[in-house]
Amino acid sequence: LWSALNLSISIHYWNNSAKSLFPKTSPIPLKLPTETELRIKEIIEKLDQQIPPRPFTHVNTTTSATHSIATILNPQDTYCRGDQLDILLEVRDHLGHRKQYGGDFLRARMSSPALMAGASGKVTDFNNGTYLVSFTLFWEGQISLSLLLIHPSEGASALWRARNQGYKIIFKGKFVNGTFHVFTECGLTLNSSAELCEYLDNRDQEAFYCVKPQHMPCEALTHMTTQNREVSYLTDKEKSLFHRSKVGVEMMKDHKHIDVANCNKSEKIEEKCQVGMKPPVPGGYTLQGKWITTFCNQVQLDTIKINGCLKGKLIYLLGDSTLRQWIYYLPKVVKTLKFFDLHETGIFKKHLLLDAERHTQIQWKKHNHPFVTLQLYSLIGHDYIPREIDQLSGDKNTAIVITFGQHFRPFPIDIFIRRAIGVRKAIERLFLRSPTTKVIIKTENIREMHLDTERLGDFHGYIQYLITKDIFKDLNVGIIDAWDMTIAYDTNNVHPPDHVVGNQINMFLNYIC
């Protein structure tokens, strides 16, 4: 993990009658913290330890990709497929001085463009200015190695502090009464003396608020839109670390390609991919554009096999637009799947695919607050993911895919942790009534490298990726490690191209069929 200013993140005790998540001090005694609040506090304290403060007086004392030294350990003229190649990285600042601490946000990848091949590498931080970067040589041929300095430890530190310092998104809620409508400010917390509408989920300790419009009930809220709050919690000096020229800088410029031979090595994985397996990192690689898992026997499904797999299935896709891509992709492959018009509008409406003859139903619904977009979207019929799961009876032919994270990046980390814990508890309740239901967690995709780093950058996504793997690690769910996959494919786009989406779906079908 990386580094950041050691902000103490207060976990607010739940108060059902509170008008705000940040109530003014009062003599009313606080309730005892719940199990969820204690877990959130525990996770944040661990992250604060792993991302300590790294103040700097000048940019020259931050990590320099140019001055850092990467050395291949035990170099060979030719390697064998399946070998591990290790690189020792010694980070230095812009003055050439050896750094004494870690926490840099690095991304390791190997590739053979001619073979349409790629895989992520594993980075081990020794927290003393040195790192071990390990690559498993999955295929034969000429392989190029890449190690990007996404952010120096000082930048990661600043992002961690800034994330948890305040809210960077404004919500505007649309209240409707007949032909009349009005917009008011809304949010996960509101610092307002006006009368508020409170939308509370007491069980999961979720809260959302809107300024109550005059002469309208709180139930008249129908739509939402968002915009960026014109605020930054980074200093000018910290912002200088996120100029385009300083994000994603190559640290292995001097290393040419390496040669990998087959060496008559063959590996056969017998065990079929199934829920409950925990993918290692890396958990696979791309070759000729196909994703090949390394921890289970994955079948590349053609249209006939996909049709057979989907027969009789009820599939619920719950999350963001990276799962909506799935429901757009499937009818291109399975021609008998047709969209059913639910008389909703906009791209964030509920989407439903049906194949009546094969009794297949596939549904996509967006997750609830926070959902960040300039477009106006409906709130009717859309609930928090835990509540959506609670409404499903489940059976052996039901599969649920869950992803969330991209829309949480601009918010303090406790918002994401609370939702992840709520989702886990809902899955546990589902397994009590229907242990045969298949549940798949898709982790976040990496996204554009130079897009609003403070709000949306991959550093925030990586922290959420680690939290997701930790919270769901001992559940009987399938993991689609989209983080690992999109690094291997080098997509750098929140919405990867169709061939990547198709390989994510192929992994999902291997889990459920």
Side-chain angles (χ1 to χ4, degrees), residues 10-245:
S10 57
I11 306 301
H12 302 283
Y13 295 118
W14 200 246
N15 185 337
N16 293 341
S17 61
K19 290 288 183 184
S20 166
L21 283 184
F22 301 95
K24 296 182 178 67
T25 54
S26 70
I28 299 171
L30 292 174
K31 293 182 179 179
L32 289 172
T34 65
E35 176 192 350
T36 295
E37 287 161 343
L38 291 172
R39 180 80 171 112
I40 294 170
K41 186 170 184 288
E42 175 196 358
I43 291 171
I44 291 175
E45 284 175 352
K46 276 185 189 174
L47 290 167
D48 277 341
Q49 290 168 8
Q50 293 175 305
I51 316 175
R54 295 296 181 203
F56 61 100
T57 52
H58 194 278
V59 171
N60 282 346
T61 63
T62 66
T63 307
S64 162
T66 304
H67 290 84
S68 297
I69 300 169
T71 307
I72 294 179
L73 301 179
N74 303 316
Q76 300 172 36
D77 292 335
T78 303
Y79 295 84
C80 288
R81 186 169 67 86
D83 285 355
Q84 180 168 303
L85 182 146
D86 291 325
I87 294 167
L88 184 67
L89 174 69
E90 182 185 277
V91 293
R92 296 175 179 263
D93 64 20
H94 292 267
L95 302 173
H97 298 141
R98 167 95 182 267
K99 293 189 72 179
Q100 302 301 314
Y101 52 85
D104 300 289
F105 184 34
L106 308 172
R107 180 172 296 164
R109 180 176 182 266
M110 64 179 194
S111 63
S112 298
L115 300 174
M116 291 189 292
S120 66
K122 184 177 181 179
V123 178
T124 304
D125 185 350
F126 294 118
N127 297 310
N128 61 2
T130 61
Y131 300 81
L132 182 68
V133 183
S134 302
F135 293 100
T136 302
L137 306 177
F138 291 118
W139 63 87
E140 57 184 299
Q142 286 192 347
I143 293 180
S144 300
L145 304 177
S146 169
L147 181 60
L148 299 181
L149 175 63
I150 309 290
H151 304 306
S153 51
E154 295 79 10
S157 167
L159 289 173
W160 177 243
R161 187 204 72 244
R163 172 172 189 166
N164 296 303
Q165 207 162 330
Y167 290 79
K168 308 172 187 72
I169 302 294
I170 298 170
F171 292 84
K172 292 288 184 183
K174 181 181 180 182
F175 290 79
V176 176
N177 186 350
T179 58
F180 177 72
H181 72 265
V182 64
F183 284 88
T184 73
E185 184 174 354
C186 302
L188 299 165
T189 177
L190 277 184
N191 187 12
S192 173
S193 58
E195 185 181 0
L196 299 181
C197 290
E198 302 174 328
Y199 305 96
L200 305 179
D201 184 329
N202 295 325
R203 184 196 67 191
D204 294 332
Q205 301 169 15
E206 298 279 9
F208 195 78
Y209 303 90
C210 289
V211 173
K212 187 179 186 301
Q214 288 188 331
H215 314 303
M216 275 201 192
C218 293
E219 292 77 12
L221 177 65
T222 62
H223 290 77
M224 192 67 61
T225 182
T226 68
Q227 63 191 64
N228 288 343
R229 191 182 297 278
E230 294 303 317
V231 63
S232 172
Y233 297 100
L234 298 172
T235 66
D236 289 341
K237 191 168 56 174
E238 288 167 343
K239 287 179 186 175
S240 72
L241 298 177
F242 305 113
H243 291 160
R244 290 182 72 94
S245 61

Side-chain angles (χ1 to χ4, degrees), residues 237-452:
K237 191 168 56 174
E238 288 167 343
K239 287 179 186 175
S240 72
L241 298 177
F242 305 113
H243 291 160
R244 290 182 72 94
S245 61
K246 295 179 182 175
V247 175
V249 184
E250 184 59 66
M251 304 183 85
M252 296 193 61
K253 296 181 293 291
D254 298 333
H255 290 279
K256 302 267 193 306
H257 62 261
I258 61 163
D259 293 308
V260 180
N262 189 18
C263 303
N264 294 320
K265 284 193 175 182
S266 63
E267 295 176 9
K268 186 158 180 66
I269 305 168
E270 298 295 341
E271 193 172 7
K272 176 189 177 299
C273 299
Q274 52 193 319
V275 294
M277 291 181 165
K278 295 299 172 269
V281 176
Y285 60 98
T286 74
L287 187 62
Q288 301 300 339
K290 296 286 188 187
W291 177 255
I292 300 168
T293 58
T294 56
F295 63 95
C296 61
N297 185 11
Q298 174 195 5
V299 179
Q300 296 292 336
L301 301 174
D302 57 22
T303 302
I304 295 172
K305 287 179 179 173
I306 293 174
N307 272 323
C309 174
L310 292 178
K311 187 174 182 179
K313 293 288 192 299
L314 301 177
I315 297 171
Y316 299 89
L317 309 176
L318 305 175
D320 57 32
S321 55
T322 66
L323 265 188
R324 190 185 64 214
Q325 284 187 282
W326 286 29
I327 208 163
Y328 288 163
Y329 178 89
L330 280 164
K332 299 175 186 177
V333 180
V334 183
K335 304 297 184 183
T336 53
L337 282 170
K338 304 294 181 185
F339 280 108
F340 187 84
D341 185 2
L342 295 167
H343 296 211
E344 297 182 29
T345 58
I347 60 172
F348 299 117
K349 66 185 179 183
K350 181 165 78 173
H351 290 60
L352 184 64
L353 283 175
L354 292 177
D355 180 342
E357 190 174 322
R358 289 190 177 86
H359 302 284
T360 301
Q361 174 187 298
I362 304 172
Q363 173 186 292
W364 173 82
K365 285 179 84 170
K366 64 174 173 53
H367 65 67
N368 211 340
H369 316 300
F371 199 85
V372 179
T373 174
L374 292 170
Q375 298 190 49
L376 195 66
Y377 58 89
S378 174
L379 299 174
I380 308 301
H382 293 259
D383 211 334
Y384 294 111
I385 290 177
R387 294 290 178 180
E388 298 283 3
I389 295 171
D390 287 343
Q391 293 172 32
L392 303 175
S393 56
D395 62 23
K396 64 178 181 169
N397 287 315
T398 299
I400 304 169
V401 188
I402 299 163
T403 193
F404 58 99
Q406 297 285 352
H407 292 260
F408 288 74
R409 293 187 182 192
F411 298 93
I413 195 66
D414 63 303
I415 305 295
F416 177 82
I417 300 171
R418 174 172 281 109
R419 186 65 49 82
I421 292 172
V423 170
R424 182 196 163 100
K425 288 182 175 180
I427 294 170
E428 290 173 336
R429 291 191 293 272
L430 170 67
F431 285 162
L432 286 176
R433 64 182 180 271
S434 176
T436 57
T437 301
K438 300 283 200 310
V439 178
I440 314 297
I441 307 293
K442 184 187 88 66
T443 65
E444 292 176 52
N445 303 331
I446 64 169
R447 65 177 306 161
E448 300 79 1
M449 205 173 284
H450 302 289
L451 179 74
D452 198 348

